[in-house]
Amino acid sequence: MCHTDLHAGQFCWQAGRLRALLDFGDAAIGPPAWDVASVAYFHGWNVAELVAGAASESCDQNAALFGLLLAFHRAGRAAEQGRPQRLAEAAAFARGCLNRLG
């Protein structure tokens, strides 16, 4: 099961510890690499590597490939909503994914 939308607003912290994940409305059955890519998109690859390691998952080429899909999705939404800054963020993330793929 994947959450698929792990931005900062989905985490509930208390006393410095993660207490809950919120909003499973977009949850789906899928590969863990999707959630690793989602964490990377919203929080950076360094955080994604920590989260993946804590979940005994890897932050590998699969995560970067799913990251490309996520970047295209976010770019499409940004274009539809007329949000050029978010479009630029999606493009930058896509470039980072390509760099990780070598």
Side-chain angles (χ1 to χ4, degrees), residues 1-4 6 28-39 48 51-52 55-60 62-63 66:
M1 183 63 72
C2 292
H3 186 282
T4 77
L6 291 171
I29 295 174
W34 178 263
D35 274 349
V36 173
S38 183
V39 169
V51 169
S56 299
E57 295 294 336
S58 60
C59 192
D60 59 8
N62 287 332
F66 278 106

Side-chain angles (χ1 to χ4, degrees), residues 64-79:
L65 289 169
F66 278 106
L68 281 174
L69 292 174
L70 180 57
F72 285 123
H73 167 71
R74 301 294 298 181
R77 288 188 60 194

Side-chain angles (χ1 to χ4, degrees), residues 4-87:
T4 77
D5 190 27
L6 291 171
H7 61 78
Q10 309 295 29
F11 296 89
C12 182
W13 298 93
Q14 184 177 28
R17 296 184 61 142
L18 180 63
R19 301 303 286 178
L21 285 174
L22 307 174
D23 187 10
F24 283 82
D26 291 326
I29 295 174
W34 178 263
D35 274 349
V36 173
S38 183
V39 169
Y41 188 89
F42 294 110
H43 307 282
W45 285 106
N46 290 339
V47 173
E49 288 175 10
L50 291 171
V51 169
S56 299
E57 295 294 336
S58 60
C59 192
D60 59 8
Q61 287 187 328
N62 287 332
L65 289 169
F66 278 106
L68 281 174
L69 292 174
L70 180 57
F72 285 123
H73 167 71
R74 301 294 298 181
R77 288 188 60 194
E80 287 173 358
Q81 297 170 351
R83 300 179 119 177
Q85 178 60 33
R86 289 200 176 167
L87 182 58

